[in-house]
Amino acid sequence: MILFTNDYTEGCHPAILEALTRTNLSQQVGYGFDEFSTQAIELLRSQLENPAADVHFVHGGTIANLLVLNAFLKSYESVIAAQTGHIFVHEAGAIEATGHKIEVAATPDGKLRPEDVAPLLQKSPPYHTVKPRVVYISNSTEIGTTYTKDELTALSEYCRANGLLLYLDGARLPMALAASTNLTLADIGRLTDAFYLGGTKCGALLGEAIVINNPALQPDFKYHLKQRGALLAKGRVLGVQFATLLQDGLLFELAAHANAMAQKIARVVQELGYHLLTVSETNQIFPILPNTVIDQLKGEFGFYVWKQVDAQQSAIRLITSWATPAHAVDQFIEALRTYSRA
């Protein structure tokens, strides 16, 4: 069975295995102060064009979101997210378990705009409701859409004008940036108070890089890592991986491949007369197919049925990865053509 269920079905890029093996017997200090983590941090700061960025490596996306939001929010403050946001739908109440309310806005494309946030700031009477403090977004979103530079700039300016922090979940940020014509990693750093850059879904064995851009939020963040069990003794394991991914553009090369594989399927989906649930230029696509075709595809391919559209059709989620081979995509396309003619 060929899997299109997610972008972490494979282990890691061979260059990472080689680097881990090559550095294995090098003695290093722990807790992220090793030379490989230092190298990765400097590479990331260079690409952000911000030598003062505060960078911390953690093992996964949910812990990254939990750490950042719990650190930034006071007990009476809330976080605003889209209704499809990962922290609202897919993290088993991790944020609520820290005592913070998630307030959501329904948006058709999974993105937040100032007009989506504004109604949630209208609180009355004072001191009787939670106080919004952080706006949470993801790029790409849970439904494959991406922010343009203009959209992110407008949201960033709105947040700063209204005393809000902007935090970006970057589990698939490499794919979003690879798909963009003018949004850069440096822009992400300039327009957000904090974000994380995903490695788990783009070639690493595991790992995400939390980046805190706002100097007021940087002090003592490592205490939060330690309290939540996220300060790894063998921090080198994450440092080696990010140093490898950030050298010579490997991270974004892998992201571009993942996008290209998904978009090849998307073009054929449309050629066959089917629609897509969202407009996505990344490695997540959501074809709307007849249920009869979906049932046949399930026998050969792994994917999620995302949403029932009507009695005859559903949207499925297909995700390609940094390692998805072209022949696997071609096999899916051939099966889709065959079952569509039946």
Side-chain angles (χ1 to χ4, degrees), residues 111-129:
K111 296 190 284 187
L112 287 179
R113 297 171 179 82
E115 57 266 32
D116 301 313
V117 175
L120 297 172
L121 304 185
Q122 306 306 311
K123 303 290 186 181
S124 181
Y127 313 115
H128 289 260
T129 60

Side-chain angles (χ1 to χ4, degrees), residues 80-86 88-89 103-120 135-138 140-147 151 155 277-279 306-307:
I80 293 171
Q83 194 171 32
T84 52
H86 203 269
F88 183 63
V89 180
E103 301 188 81
V104 297
T107 66
D109 57 3
K111 296 190 284 187
L112 287 179
R113 297 171 179 82
E115 57 266 32
D116 301 313
V117 175
L120 297 172
V135 172
Y136 164 96
I137 61 173
S138 54
S140 62
T141 70
E142 286 303 296
I143 49 179
T145 54
T146 55
Y147 284 83
E151 287 172 334
L155 184 60
L277 186 65
T278 64
V279 178
W306 189 257
K307 178 181 179 180

